[in-house]
Amino acid sequence: MQRRHLRLSGAALAALTLVLAGPGGSVGASASSASAPSATAAKVSGLSGKARPARGGGALLRWTTKREKANVGFELYRARAAKPRKRVRVIKRMVAGTVLRIGPTATRRSRSSYRYFDRLGRRGDRYWIVDVAVSGRRTFRGPYVVKGKKVRRVSSSPLLKPTKAGGKTETIPGAAAPAVPVGPVSPAIAPGTPAEVVGSTLATRQTVRIGVTQTGWTRVSLEDLRTRGVDTSNPANLHVYREGREVSALVRDGGLEFYGEGIDAIDTATRAYTVDAQTTPAPRVPTAPAGRGASAGPTSHLATVDRADRGIYFSALRNGDLPNFFGAVITRSPATQSLAAPAATGEDAAVTVSLQGVTTSSHRVSVSLNGTPLGTATFEGQDATTQTFDAGGAARSGANSVTLQAESSGDV
């Protein structure tokens, strides 16, 4: 059976495995764990802010802190001038604090600055800034009244939000870069040449590198290769290398194809493949024409779709030798991740989610697949947990949406 993995990481910080099985298939799962650090007292000192009307409409809120300790982020609230006692949440997510950038016991000698542009803000409105600690404690600061001279709009500070969908194979886009003059055909590299020698040789030539993040069949058009400077006049002589070792490829329908594999390193999921035009033919994937003598293929296969994003470095986490890179931040606002599962029937499917706590309170995270609730993951504090849920017939062929949501306000 062919197995393919696609793992998602995030926060309460999460990781996820969607296991799909065709008729007669079975399911599997992957897991990870981390030790729990001790909670640390939180403190945000020297917070000061201003709210100004913005040119073209809206309001710009700025604030600074002299020192932060175990601060997850900031919530923002607004009250209209006509209804000063009716406070409403401005954004569902928090403005990111320092806990996901520095350790919980660290202090900052220099000020930390933040800003948020509220396009619905008006002169006379009042704003409150709420700092949220890892303990879940929330401290209101303000109000800050929108007044004074108009200022120009600026971009808001980063929010605690899900990372962008990833896990796709990175092929060369058709018009992403200007055409490069075609380089000369290179002398052949003899089979059996040590990988380190191959790597140093390719570094001196005009080649094209293709980044692959998902294991599977990868295709790049010959036209794209030519516009990037590789001679494609004789496609049979296009060689493909991975880490100094040649891999078999296939040329058909105006494109170069090969079986690419991503990488699961701490800081990247992209593996580089190099295409080089040489004077001798390259090894090719053997093919056989379909006919009466061809044997029937299997009617089903097991596929595990795995995703592991690396958008956040959680240096405040004390988890020994385990990596501190995570993906989507999970709060009361839903974090939805997309997983591609080609040709899935949805029968006997399962979803495995790995979560890392940020706040030190108890966590309850609801898990759903394509809008169908699967269950709730429960765990404590800054522990890590991996839990599997029966997906029944909720999985489908193509794009699948996994939604993770904290059930309590202030939970991260």
Side-chain angles (χ1 to χ4, degrees):
M1 300 180 189
Q2 181 187 7
R3 295 181 62 88
R4 295 178 58 195
H5 294 270
L6 183 218
R7 183 179 52 201
L8 158 121
S9 295
L13 292 160
L16 172 149
T17 300
L18 171 63
V19 184
L20 303 171
S26 59
V27 299
S30 62
S32 59
S33 61
S35 58
S38 58
T40 307
K43 184 179 182 180
V44 174
S45 62
L47 190 149
S48 60
K50 291 183 179 180
R52 296 286 183 86
R55 297 170 188 167
L60 180 65
L61 182 63
R62 291 179 180 270
W63 67 98
T64 60
T65 61
K66 288 184 178 179
R67 186 167 297 158
E68 296 181 34
K69 185 177 182 181
N71 176 40
V72 177
F74 301 91
E75 298 173 348
L76 302 178
Y77 287 81
R78 177 188 63 224
R80 297 297 187 189
K83 298 180 179 180
R85 295 185 178 182
K86 186 178 180 181
R87 291 191 296 209
V88 296
R89 184 87 174 261
V90 177
I91 46 177
K92 293 182 178 181
R93 300 197 175 274
M94 288 184 282
V95 175
T98 57
V99 73
L100 298 179
R101 301 198 299 265
I102 63 174
T105 59
T107 58
R108 300 177 67 93
R109 295 181 180 178
S110 59
R111 291 172 178 263
S112 296
S113 299
Y114 303 89
R115 58 187 182 271
Y116 183 78
F117 171 69
D118 180 13
R119 62 183 180 85
L120 299 180
R122 307 170 187 168
R123 186 182 292 273
D125 286 351
R126 297 183 177 188
Y127 287 87
W128 284 263
I129 301 170
V130 183
D131 65 79
V132 181
V134 294
S135 62
R137 180 180 59 83
R138 301 162 72 244
T139 304
F140 275 76
R141 319 272 183 163
Y144 303 99
V145 182
V146 181
K147 60 183 180 179
K149 295 182 178 180
K150 292 184 177 181
V151 296
R152 68 181 182 89
R153 299 180 182 181
V154 295
S155 59
S156 301
S157 296
L159 305 180
L160 288 179
K161 60 183 180 181
T163 54
K164 294 182 178 180
K168 296 182 179 179
T169 303
E170 298 178 3
T171 54
I172 303 174
V180 176
V182 176
V185 176
S186 305
I189 298 177
T193 302
E196 58 273 14
V197 176
V198 174
S200 60
T201 301
L202 293 175
T204 64
R205 299 180 174 183
Q206 187 163 320
T207 60
V208 168
R209 301 186 71 188
I210 302 173
V212 175
T213 58
Q214 179 177 316
T215 299
W217 202 244
T218 303
R219 174 184 172 86
V220 58
S221 71
L222 298 180
E223 178 62 21
D224 284 340
L225 292 174
R226 188 189 65 79
T227 58
R228 270 49 175 198
V230 172
D231 190 330
T232 59
S233 58
N234 190 351
N237 293 352
L238 294 176
H239 295 247
V240 181
Y241 294 90
R242 185 192 78 180
E243 299 167 357
R245 302 188 183 279
E246 188 162 13
V247 299
S248 296
L250 181 66
V251 176
R252 61 180 175 183
D253 300 328
L256 178 69
E257 303 177 5
F258 59 91
Y259 187 77
E261 295 180 283
I263 192 172
D264 191 15
I266 291 178
D267 58 347
T268 183
T270 303
R271 191 190 297 273
Y273 286 77
T274 303
V275 180
D276 183 35
Q278 300 180 14
T279 56
T280 58
R284 293 292 180 245
V285 177
T287 60
R292 293 183 178 179
S295 58
T299 58
S300 66
H301 68 282
L302 175 68
T304 301
V305 188
D306 209 21
R307 176 170 173 170
D309 293 346
R310 297 168 178 82
I312 293 176
Y313 183 72
F314 188 6
S315 63
L317 181 63
R318 302 293 184 260
N319 61 345
D321 294 331
L322 296 177
N324 284 34
F325 284 95
F326 297 94
V329 177
I330 300 173
T331 62
R332 190 69 179 87
S333 299
T336 300
Q337 303 289 314
S338 179
L339 299 175
T345 66
E347 298 180 9
D348 301 323
V351 174
T352 296
V353 184
S354 293
L355 302 169
Q356 170 62 56
V358 176
T359 52
T360 56
S361 57
S362 299
H363 306 287
R364 291 179 57 86
V365 178
S366 61
V367 182
S368 62
L369 176 64
N370 298 324
T372 301
L374 303 184
T376 301
T378 59
F379 61 111
E380 299 293 327
Q382 290 187 332
D383 289 346
T385 184
T386 297
Q387 301 183 29
T388 300
F389 301 89
D390 181 10
R396 61 194 180 201
S397 179
N400 287 263
S401 296
V402 179
T403 302
L404 307 172
Q405 182 179 19
E407 296 184 357
S408 300
S409 178
D411 187 13
V412 180

